[in-house]
Amino acid sequence: MELKYVIPNMEKTFGNLEYAGEGKVEQRRINGRMTTLARSYNLYSDIQRADDIEVILPQEAGEKFFEHEEKVKLVNAKITAEGYKIGDRGFTKYILHADDMVKA
């Protein structure tokens, strides 16, 4: 059985989320034109305080505009895991995806 993603309990895992700014835009050339595939955004969490939370939204969600520290809510959030190694040690990077991000 393959683990495709985990659906987090958003309230217990992240608590209240606030918009912290725009992240990266993933683009690819398709039929000679640059096309946006996904956008990432940085969020603040009142539970996960060590680092900002990065969420990746698909192109279909469109570009998001929020005020800094405005409360937001993620729609259909999922966490995927990506493994990598440095030297002889293995590590896991957790990636948060959502279908959309809206005002809370």
Side-chain angles (χ1 to χ4, degrees):
M1 180 164 58
E2 181 182 344
L3 176 64
K4 296 186 188 244
Y5 56 83
V6 173
I7 298 175
N9 178 322
M10 292 300 292
E11 190 173 315
K12 289 183 180 178
T13 305
F14 299 108
N16 296 308
L17 293 172
E18 295 178 350
Y19 183 75
E22 200 171 322
K24 301 173 195 157
V25 177
E26 181 184 347
Q27 295 182 318
R28 183 173 298 149
R29 188 172 299 280
I30 299 175
N31 296 328
R33 296 179 56 197
M34 289 302 284
T35 303
T36 300
L37 301 176
R39 298 177 193 280
S40 69
Y41 296 91
N42 298 313
L43 307 174
Y44 298 132
S45 165
D46 60 358
I47 292 179
Q48 302 288 333
R49 297 179 148 249
D51 294 312
D52 290 353
I53 307 299
E54 180 182 38
V55 62
I56 299 172
L57 301 179
Q59 183 274 334
E60 295 81 22
E63 192 170 0
K64 301 296 175 184
F65 301 97
F66 295 102
E67 294 293 323
H68 189 71
E69 296 185 355
E70 184 173 358
K71 291 187 186 297
V72 295
K73 180 180 172 184
L74 300 178
V75 177
N76 295 328
K78 301 180 257 320
I79 297 174
T80 60
E82 183 178 280
Y84 65 98
K85 75 175 200 165
I86 298 175
D88 293 334
R89 298 182 60 190
F91 299 91
T92 304
K93 176 181 179 183
Y94 295 99
I95 306 163
L96 179 61
H97 296 268
D99 292 342
D100 203 355
M101 181 169 58
V102 297
K103 291 182 184 183

